[in-house]
Every structure is written in C-alpha cells, then in structure tokens.
Amino acid sequence: MAAPLTGVLRQSGSLFALALDVFRALPKRPFQVKEFIQQAWFIASVTILPTALVSIPFGAVIALQLGTLTRQLGAQSYTGAASVLAVLREASPIVTALLIAGAGGSAICADLGSRKIREEIDAMEVLGISPIQRLVVPRVLASMLVALLLNGLVSVVGVVGGYVFNVIVQGGTPGAYIASFTALAQLPDLWTAEIKALVFGAIAAVVAAYKGLNAGGGPKGVGDAVNQSVVITFMLLFVVNFVITAVYFQVVPQKI
C-alpha cells in the first residue's frame, strides 16, 4: 500500500518541479520564436473545428435546460441571462480545456515521447541544450495562447447556439433573450473565464510535456504516456476549476 502511494507522491513532485522549471525558463533568452509560432498554429489547427462543433451542443443543452426551468418558475425573461452566465463562466473554459488537453496535449505528449525514445532529448542534454527551454516552453506558451483565443470562440458560438435553440425550438422571444444578457453576467465573469483558459492551457501543456519527457518502453510506452496525460489533465482541470470558481465567488460581488 505504501509503495503505490510513494510512487504517486514522487510523480506529483516531479510534475510540480517541471512546472517550476518551465516558468523559471520563461524569461531566459534566446526565446524560440519559430517553435512557438509553429506549435501555436498546429494546436490551433487541430482544435478550432472540434471546439466550435462541441460548443454548439453545449450552448444548446444549457439553453434548453434553463429555458425549461425558467418557464416552470415563470421567469422566462431571464433565460438569456442565465444561459450567457453558464456558458461564459463554466462551459467555455471547460470545453476549451478538454479540447486543448485531448487534441493539443496528446500531440505534445506524443511528439516529446517520440523524441525521448529516439534519444533526441538525451542528445540535447549532452550538447548542453536545455530541452525545457528549447521544446517545452514554446509549447506551454502556445497552448496558453490558443486556449485564450479558443475560449472567446467557444463563448460566442455557445451563446449563439443557445439563442438559436431557445428561439427556434422553445419559441422564446428574441428581444427578451438578447435584452437580458447583462442582467446577471458582468465583466469580471469574462476575465475569470479567460484566466481559467490560460491556467488550463498551461496545465494541459505541462502535464503532456512531463509524460512525454518521461516516456519509455518504445512506441507502446509513448501511447500509454499520451493516455495518462489526458486522464491526469482532466482530473487536474476539474480540481483547479473548482478552486478558481470558489475564489471568484469570494472576491467578486455578485449581482442580485
């Protein structure tokens, strides 16, 4: 019983140490601009379409559920406000994080894991090149940037999808739906969602990089590392999301 617990604690400590090394290497020069641009473009190319497609049903389900609930409570005029609030605060950062971890993070882990089993990482260390500064830092920053931009995309698509489904499927009033947008939501909600997206993007990239740099056992080991990185990232994302949301409710006064 003690051995598995010791292994989990050791892995957690190593992951945290890598995160510290990454953020300590951020201001170091030279910065790998070309690598950063390539990774940002790649992550965006594999996540934009799936994120947009996933955000439509998310917004639709939220609108349908809240539309039914507000109708039962006799508060149809707040359907738009509640839908926008749910999409902005929770749905958009979570959808962004899941797609970044599932598509972008798995690609990062597979790339670094392949380099590891081909001994490219060891060769870089022998030559005095830091793999963290050369490979990990550009990927972490690229993941954070794409997550920030995707969060805005998900917010827009989710709100539009919720509007369409509420007006067409449930027969809601378009004017009332739009007019109630600012009844509950406020500007700090948007900033909090963007902060969540940045943090989630960093977590996904750091976990993927950690599992990739520690992959072993040939191609099968790389595949196992990719699966583990996605699962670990999902678990961390929900925990961190809870913590940030709890802090937000304590710091930002809510509309009544």
Side-chain angles (χ1 to χ4, degrees):
M1 185 67 181
L5 180 59
T6 302
V8 171
L9 293 177
R10 185 181 296 109
Q11 294 281 335
S12 301
S14 300
L15 175 61
F16 185 70
L18 176 64
L20 291 180
D21 291 339
V22 169
F23 289 105
R24 190 166 57 235
L26 288 178
K28 291 184 178 180
R29 297 293 180 269
F31 179 69
Q32 305 298 324
V33 178
K34 182 179 179 180
E35 186 79 15
F36 167 74
I37 295 175
Q38 289 177 343
Q39 291 300 317
W41 174 253
F42 172 74
I43 296 174
S45 65
V46 299
T47 55
I48 286 180
L49 183 58
T51 302
L53 294 178
V54 169
S55 60
I56 295 175
F58 258 86
V61 169
I62 291 174
L64 292 174
Q65 294 286 352
L66 291 178
T68 303
L69 180 62
T70 54
R71 187 180 298 107
Q72 293 173 347
L73 298 175
Q76 294 92 328
S77 59
Y78 283 95
T79 301
S83 299
V84 171
L85 191 64
V87 170
L88 197 62
R89 276 187 187 171
E90 298 299 331
S92 59
I94 289 297
V95 171
T96 300
L98 295 181
L99 268 298
I100 287 290
S106 60
I108 291 174
C109 183
D111 178 37
L112 295 180
S114 300
R115 293 172 183 262
K116 178 66 176 179
I117 65 174
R118 292 197 303 264
E119 299 183 350
E120 292 183 19
I121 304 297
D122 297 333
M124 292 178 65
E125 292 175 345
V126 170
L127 293 173
I129 302 173
S130 171
I132 293 178
Q133 184 181 359
R134 177 64 178 82
L135 299 175
V136 179
V137 169
R139 284 163 172 78
V140 171
L141 292 178
S143 180
M144 294 172 66
L145 175 63
V146 175
L148 185 69
L149 299 177
L150 284 182
N151 183 70
L153 173 65
V154 175
S155 298
V156 173
V157 175
V159 170
V160 172
Y163 168 82
V164 171
F165 276 83
N166 178 261
V167 172
I168 296 178
V169 177
Q170 294 183 311
T173 305
Y177 191 96
I178 296 176
S180 65
F181 271 18
T182 58
L184 298 176
Q186 47 188 336
L187 192 58
D189 294 326
L190 176 61
W191 298 127
T192 304
E194 296 288 7
I195 291 173
K196 283 184 179 181
L198 277 175
V199 174
F200 294 166
I203 290 174
V206 169
V207 172
Y210 171 75
K211 299 304 294 184
L213 291 175
N214 290 277
K220 183 180 183 301
V222 175
D224 293 340
V226 170
N227 294 334
Q228 293 170 9
S229 71
V230 174
V231 173
I232 294 172
T233 302
F234 283 3
M235 295 172 61
L236 289 176
L237 291 179
F238 286 110
V239 173
V240 173
N241 180 62
F242 170 78
V243 173
I244 295 177
T245 303
V247 172
Y248 170 78
F249 282 124
Q250 294 296 323
V251 174
V252 179
Q254 304 300 305
K255 287 186 176 182
I256 302 178

